Amino acid sequence: MSFARWVAIYGPTYLTGLGWTAVTAVGAACGALIWGCVLLLIRLSTGRWGARGVDAYVQLFRNTPVLLPIYLIYFAFPMIGLPWPAVVCGGLALILQNGAYISEILRGSVNAIDRVQFDAARSIGLAPWSTFRKVVLPQVLVYSIPALGNQTVLLLKDTSLLSAISITELTMQAKLLTEQTGAAYEAFIVVALLYLLLVSGTEVFFRVAHRAVRWR
Amino acid sequence: MIAVRGLQKSFGTARVLRGIDLDIADGEVVALIGRSGCGKTTLLRCINFLEEYDTGEIRLDGEELWYRTTPGGARRRVSEAEARRMRQQMGIVFQQYNLFPHMTVLDNVLLGPRFAQRVSVAEAEALGRRLLARVGLEAKMSGYPAQLSGGQQQRVAIARALAMRPKVLLLDEITSALDPELVGEVEDVIRSLLSDRIMMVLVTHALGFAREVAHRIAYLADGAIVELGSPADILDRPKDPSLKEFLRRVR
Ligand SMILES: Nc1ncnc2c1ncn2[C@@H]1O[C@H](COP(=O)(O)OP(=O)(O)OP(=O)(O)O)[C@@H](O)[C@H]1O
Ligand SMILES: [Mg+2]
């Protein structure tokens, strides 16, 4: 079968996969960014014990494969009466893990803020929350854009693990096509090209965002 | 007016302030001079409680600042919220550039009024424009700090401090990081504030400028005020040997 014909016949199957990959990646990336900001806030505002708690959390997720929380949430939550749909379980697992990494990225960027700015913020009477929201977070997010881009690419590729809980994202579709047709090469080459496209798009997005910052 | 009594401050075992007594009358400008490391910055930072101090008392218009003594005799810092309220009566400008780089010039000036004093947007903007006009930077209002010269950044920092409508302005060598040709424009802004009769504590190495704008000059050495008097007394008729030595070196 020619390559063009292959794509014509199985295009819709790939599109479904592309859709799920994109939706889970974008959703999880947004969720993870928010969760990462929350973890940073907890670390900065709750003193020694809060910081230790966040440290422990980060270590836990850094030292375990993502597949673990994916399985755990998908298989164990129904037993405690939380039978969530597979996308929700998978998305949540990705958010929990990537949020841990993102909080570390953001924490590193806090050090890029000149100390005298914190004195300036205190001297005009800003409360800690206002300082975080108006002074710390906007700068930290901008300084973190390149690293957040890398993390998002990793997350994008990790969505392929969601095939393990039967979400019909790209990798799952390629596997299904292989099983149906036996044409493993065609099935996976197309998927590889699609991932390449998605990853390049993600990188361009973050590069443009980085350039768009006017104050640097 | 401000009254500082017996202010002492150590960093670990290093005694940096060894009992400072200083009064500043309403509308008075006091210049603080002394060699590097004598504690000038530390004194300013203690006055607005960016730094905690060990003993002593600071009053502003009679109100005791920063610490309370319990009936049992224990000394406790006031609450964070109290400290924020007190701090808003003072403005400080630092030696290093300290604007928020991600905010426009106007937003830098507005931040305090908007989010610490909860002034309405319209009112804060009007105030911000007025103050920026006053320091000659209305045209740069929507630019970012990185687009300004050092002198312009310090003028914005002064406007930002003034936006809190402080009773006293603490200025810590605000021209010493500047190229010489930019010093004048910042000094002009300080001169223009004299007519407002706002209290100022001015740390400076520019003795000519101190002579011109200060009502009194305090010479600080080893964490104590060694000599205090009119500019003429301090600069032309110094008594203390270490002050004489200091003046000889600076000139
Ligand atoms: N955070 C700190 N921790 C420890 N020591 C400090 C700290 N800040 C200042 N010191 C020490 O306290 C002394 C006074 O410092 P300070 O910055 O007040 O001097 P200064 O008069 O402002 O000097 P300069 O003219 O160089 O600005 C110095 O010996 C300095 O090393
Ligand atoms: Mg100093």
Side-chain angles (χ1 to χ4, degrees):
Chain A
M1 192 188 306
S2 82
F3 197 67
R5 207 170 132 61
W6 172 271
V7 172
I9 296 176
Y10 297 111
T13 311
Y14 286 117
L15 271 185
T16 308
L18 199 62
W20 278 113
T21 296
V23 165
T24 49
V26 171
C30 295
L33 182 61
I34 293 170
W35 180 225
C37 292
V38 171
L39 287 172
L40 177 71
L41 179 62
I42 294 173
R43 178 189 288 286
L44 295 180
S45 63
T46 53
R48 193 144 48 94
W49 288 105
R52 278 191 193 166
V54 174
D55 273 337
Y57 174 88
V58 170
Q59 284 305 323
L60 182 70
F61 278 92
R62 188 184 260 170
N63 296 321
T64 48
V66 214
L67 203 50
L68 218 63
I70 293 176
Y71 277 148
L72 188 71
I73 294 173
Y74 184 67
F75 290 116
F77 273 31
M79 295 181 203
I80 55 169
L82 295 171
W84 291 346
V87 236
V88 177
C89 295
L92 183 63
L94 289 175
I95 288 171
L96 290 178
Q97 201 205 35
N98 284 275
Y101 282 110
I102 287 174
S103 80
E104 287 295 285
I105 291 173
L106 300 178
R107 176 193 182 189
S109 297
V110 172
N111 298 326
I113 300 177
D114 196 344
R115 309 301 309 167
V116 76
Q117 284 186 44
F118 293 101
D119 286 339
R122 280 171 78 199
S123 77
I124 56 176
L126 276 195
W129 167 243
S130 302
T131 306
F132 181 76
R133 195 166 61 96
K134 306 301 287 186
V135 176
V136 177
L137 199 56
Q139 293 188 71
V140 157
L141 288 175
V142 166
Y143 296 144
S144 301
I145 289 174
L148 289 174
N150 291 338
Q151 191 60 40
T152 306
V153 167
L154 293 178
L155 185 152
L156 174 63
K157 293 189 285 188
D158 276 352
T159 56
S160 65
L161 294 168
L162 299 182
S163 59
I165 53 171
S166 74
I167 291 172
T168 53
E169 46 66 62
L170 275 175
T171 308
M172 179 69 160
Q173 298 297 71
K175 180 168 157 264
L176 292 178
L177 283 181
T178 306
E179 283 163 6
Q180 275 173 29
T181 64
Y185 277 122
E186 287 87 341
F188 281 103
I189 283 172
V190 174
V191 164
L193 291 175
L194 288 174
Y195 273 118
L196 197 68
L197 205 71
L198 287 174
V199 168
S200 312
T202 307
E203 283 172 346
V204 168
F205 174 81
F206 278 89
R207 225 173 294 137
V208 169
H210 196 49
R211 282 217 202 99
V213 177
R214 280 176 51 221
W215 53 266
R216 304 195 71 214
Chain B
M1 64 163 289
I2 296 179
V4 179
R5 287 288 171 275
L7 187 71
Q8 296 194 28
K9 160 84 185 166
S10 302
F11 287 112
T13 56
R15 293 185 62 202
V16 174
L17 299 178
R18 302 162 178 259
I20 300 279
D21 295 307
L22 182 64
D23 285 309
I24 299 157
D26 286 334
E28 191 180 29
V29 177
V30 173
L32 220 51
I33 63 172
R35 67 194 63 188
S36 182
C38 69
K40 304 179 297 292
T41 296
T42 307
L43 175 56
L44 286 199
R45 290 175 62 87
C46 286
I47 290 177
N48 80 339
F49 205 48
L50 289 176
E51 210 75 74
E52 296 190 35
Y53 47 94
D54 308 324
T55 56
E57 199 182 278
I58 302 174
R59 288 177 179 273
L60 176 59
D61 290 342
E63 183 193 19
E64 185 174 353
L65 299 180
W66 318 128
Y67 294 97
R68 291 283 175 268
T69 310
T70 59
R75 183 168 174 267
R76 266 215 331 264
R77 356 178 346 162
V78 298
S79 70
E80 281 299 314
E82 258 306 77
R84 283 199 293 277
R85 181 189 63 73
M86 292 173 175
R87 219 178 252 125
Q88 288 172 23
Q89 305 177 70
M90 306 185 173
I92 187 165
V93 182
F94 306 91
Q95 176 174 1
Q96 313 95 305
Y97 306 143
N98 55 81
L99 296 179
F100 304 116
H102 61 295
M103 292 182 188
T104 64
V105 164
L106 183 63
D107 285 341
N108 263 278
V109 177
L110 294 187
L111 189 65
R114 284 280 294 123
F115 294 96
Q117 296 182 329
R118 301 285 157 191
V119 170
S120 73
V121 183
E123 201 180 324
E125 278 201 12
L127 175 69
R129 280 166 197 272
R130 204 166 65 239
L131 287 170
L132 285 171
R134 193 157 175 190
V135 300
L137 286 171
E138 212 181 5
K140 301 278 183 186
M141 201 166 68
S142 39
Y144 287 93
Q147 299 158 348
L148 303 184
S149 74
Q152 291 172 330
Q153 290 190 46
Q154 287 301 59
R155 282 148 66 195
V156 175
I158 295 171
R160 182 177 65 185
L162 290 174
M164 308 305 291
R165 304 171 188 280
K167 293 176 179 168
V168 52
L169 210 50
L170 309 170
L171 306 170
D172 189 5
E173 295 193 44
I174 61 172
T175 58
S176 55
L178 300 179
D179 293 335
E181 72 270 20
L182 300 177
V183 169
E185 62 187 61
V186 177
E187 290 184 344
D188 282 342
V189 169
I190 305 298
R191 280 188 194 97
S192 78
L193 294 177
L194 295 175
S195 57
D196 286 21
R197 294 185 46 78
I198 181 173
M199 285 184 274
M200 284 194 244
V201 184
L202 174 77
V203 174
T204 184
H205 286 295
L207 299 183
F209 185 62
R211 181 196 294 275
E212 178 195 337
V213 300
H215 300 100
R216 285 186 301 158
I217 297 181
Y219 171 66
L220 205 66
D222 286 332
I225 294 181
V226 175
E227 210 165 317
L228 175 65
S230 70
D233 283 342
I234 298 294
L235 301 178
D236 301 333
R237 295 179 292 275
K239 294 190 202 72
D240 183 79
S242 80
L243 171 57
K244 287 179 186 167
E245 164 76 16
F246 171 76
L247 292 175
R248 210 149 32 79
R249 277 210 217 154
V250 174
R251 279 167 183 161

